[in-house]
């Protein structure tokens, strides 16, 4: 008996919905009809749960598209508007207790400083006989251990520089390689996605990701009804459950409809760019062709589709 038939026959709709969801197949392997059933079921459940009409898009990868992202590292002023816009758009948990606030983007604040050969040899503690690293006592240049919880009255701060990071949507993603239930995978148009229904919360992906991009819901996500964004994608910003891992997916609910990700739209200095890497005339392709570009931890051969650039 099909799931839809079961649902129409049941007296206890809620129990049947949960049963159907429990036994739902892996989204990657489901047929088009099964996906349509799952979508209808979720739209009904979320609409009842959040007291508003919720849509769950299931649109597939866009043909002829490979999504790419570029960020002008010189322009970022560290305002963290991208972080907050992402939380609102993507229905992240926003409670006040530890573990209840989830942010996919981190904007690292790092000290400005000069880096010189001489400074490399300064700062070793005398007499200890151990090397703790050059410049142990004085900051000298940018390090990748920045602060991401900072609340200055004004940004940018005089002695700070900022480095936003999030999922790099690797072409060779370590998180995909380690997932034991194959619930995380790379879509044909680029983003690496997660089928939350199949995530077992083992956190292998969190350990494997070299970019600190994945977050786990240790508690039931705190998502007030009034703040819930009802425009969702199955593989994107639909509500998550306790015990599942999530991360940035380049706002699939927007980008598959030809819109920019929320972080691109909100950035007040235009530091963030997004487009089709397969189109040589897209903004992101022109940046790659003309600007100074680098990728974070390029030596790991993860081949991120997130590029940093400067003029
Ligand atoms: S919104 Fe733009 S300027 Fe502000 S922190 Fe994010 S990237 Fe930087
Ligand atoms: S940045 Fe991390 S989470 Fe994103 S695709 Fe790469 S390994 Fe996976």
């Amino acid at each position: 008996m099909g799931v839809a038939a079961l649902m129409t026959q049941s007296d206890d709709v809620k129990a049947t919905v949960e049963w159907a969801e429990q036994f739902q197949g892996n989204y990657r392997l489901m047929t088009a009809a099964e996906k349509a059933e799952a979508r209808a079921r979720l739209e009904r459940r979320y609409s009842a749960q959040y007291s508003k009409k919720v849509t769950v898009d299931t649109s597939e990868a866009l043909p002829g598209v490979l999504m790419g992202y570029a960020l002008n590292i010189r322009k970022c002023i560290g305002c963290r508007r991208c972080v907050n816009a992402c939380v609102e758009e993507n229905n992240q948990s926003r409670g006040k207790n530890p573990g209840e606030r989830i942010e996919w983007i981190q904007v690292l604040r790092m000290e400005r400083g000069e880096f010189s050969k001489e400074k490399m040899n300064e700062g070793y503690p005398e007499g200890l006989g151990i090397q703790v690293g050059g410049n142990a006592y004085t900051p000298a240049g940018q390090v990748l251990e920045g602060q991401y919880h900072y609340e200055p009255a004004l940004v940018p701060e005089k002695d700070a520089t900022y480095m936003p990071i999030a999922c790099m949507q690797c072409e060779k993603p370590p998180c995909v390689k380690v997932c034991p239930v194959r619930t995380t995978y790379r879509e044909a148009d680029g983003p690496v996605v997660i089928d939350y229904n199949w995530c077992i919360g083992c956190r292998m992906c969190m350990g494997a990701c070299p970019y600190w991009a994945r977050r786990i819901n240790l508690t039931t996500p705190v998502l007030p009804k009034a703040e819930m964004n009802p425009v969702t994608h199955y593989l994107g910003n639909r509500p998550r459950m306790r015990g599942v891992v999530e991360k940035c997916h380049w706002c699939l609910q927007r980008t598959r409809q030809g819109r920019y990700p929320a972080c691109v739209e909100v950035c007040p200095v235009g530091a963030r760019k997004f487009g089709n890497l397969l189109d040589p005339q897209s903004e992101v392709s022109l940046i790659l062709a003309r600007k100074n570009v680098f990728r974070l931890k390029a030596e790991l051969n993860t081949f991120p589709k997130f590029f940093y650039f400067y003029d």
Side-chain angles (χ1 to χ4, degrees):
M1 187 184 290
V3 166
L6 257 176
M7 288 180 66
T8 51
Q9 286 183 8
S10 173
D11 289 338
D12 185 347
V13 174
K14 186 170 179 289
T16 312
V17 165
E18 283 171 2
W19 182 93
E21 207 170 320
Q22 193 73 25
F23 287 89
Q24 181 184 305
N26 190 316
Y27 186 79
R28 200 169 46 105
L29 305 174
M30 282 159 69
T31 64
E34 286 167 339
K35 284 181 183 173
E37 276 179 9
R39 170 192 192 159
R41 192 167 65 237
L42 287 173
E43 285 183 339
R44 265 201 310 278
R45 175 156 75 78
Y46 294 150
S47 298
Q49 190 176 344
Y50 294 97
S51 308
K52 59 176 98 172
K53 182 167 169 42
V54 177
T55 55
V56 181
D57 186 12
T58 51
S59 52
E60 305 283 331
L62 298 165
V65 170
L66 185 63
M67 297 182 194
Y69 205 112
L71 193 147
N72 190 332
I73 196 69
R74 284 233 171 103
K75 278 197 168 171
C76 176
I77 55 170
C79 65
R80 288 175 44 89
R81 283 197 179 98
C82 49
V83 179
N84 296 328
C86 175
V87 170
E88 284 167 25
E89 169 70 28
N90 289 304
N91 290 325
Q92 276 107 313
S93 178
R94 55 204 68 173
K96 292 195 170 37
N97 297 318
E100 284 181 349
R101 170 86 185 173
I102 288 187
E103 294 175 349
W104 294 347
I105 301 176
Q106 284 174 348
V107 180
L108 301 182
R109 175 172 69 182
M110 295 179 290
E111 290 161 339
R112 278 181 194 270
E114 279 176 33
F115 186 81
S116 67
K117 197 176 153 200
E118 289 69 39
K119 280 200 167 185
M120 277 294 284
N121 297 321
E122 291 172 3
Y124 296 115
E126 293 293 334
L128 287 180
I130 52 165
Q131 182 175 327
V132 296
N135 320 309
Y137 298 142
T138 54
Q142 300 172 5
V143 289
L144 279 181
E145 286 137 21
Q147 264 181 299
Y148 58 90
H149 290 303
Y150 58 92
E151 291 180 42
L154 280 177
V155 289
E157 299 153 278
K158 194 167 127 301
D159 296 322
T161 189
Y162 304 96
M163 173 109 187
I165 56 172
C167 175
M168 304 280 151
Q169 318 296 352
C170 309
E171 274 298 278
K172 291 188 177 176
C175 60
V176 170
K177 283 187 200 161
V178 300
C179 179
V181 285
R182 294 278 182 270
T183 199
T184 191
Y185 57 97
R186 177 190 171 287
E187 285 277 89
D189 53 357
V192 172
V193 294
I194 303 164
D195 175 357
Y196 310 114
N197 279 53
W198 273 71
C199 175
I200 57 171
C202 67
R203 295 186 252 184
M204 297 282 282
C205 54
M206 294 177 75
C209 173
Y211 300 102
W212 204 13
R214 288 180 168 249
R215 310 279 180 271
I216 186 159
N217 288 280
L218 287 173
T219 61
T220 300
V222 179
L223 181 57
K225 285 182 182 180
E227 295 174 26
M228 190 257 175
N229 175 9
V231 181
T232 76
H233 192 284
Y234 183 94
L235 296 169
N237 62 338
R238 72 180 169 104
R240 276 78 73 188
M241 325 71 160
R242 178 181 188 157
V244 303
V245 170
E246 58 181 70
K247 69 168 189 71
C248 162
H249 44 79
W250 283 344
C251 288
L252 275 189
Q253 68 282 359
R254 287 170 156 252
T255 49
R256 289 237 172 114
Q257 307 301 327
R259 298 179 64 197
Y260 282 131
C263 52
V264 172
E265 239 174 53
V266 80
C267 179
V269 293
R272 293 172 169 272
K273 308 290 180 191
F274 179 82
N276 181 6
L277 293 168
L278 301 182
D279 173 3
Q281 291 310 312
S282 72
E283 198 172 10
V284 75
S285 297
L286 292 173
I287 287 167
L288 296 192
R290 295 175 186 173
K291 304 289 185 185
N292 298 302
V293 175
F294 69 95
R295 295 196 270 195
L296 207 57
K297 301 189 183 181
E299 72 282 6
L300 297 180
N301 291 335
T302 50
F303 298 96
K305 293 189 289 295
F306 191 111
F307 302 87
Y308 294 92
F309 71 101
Y310 53 96
D311 298 308

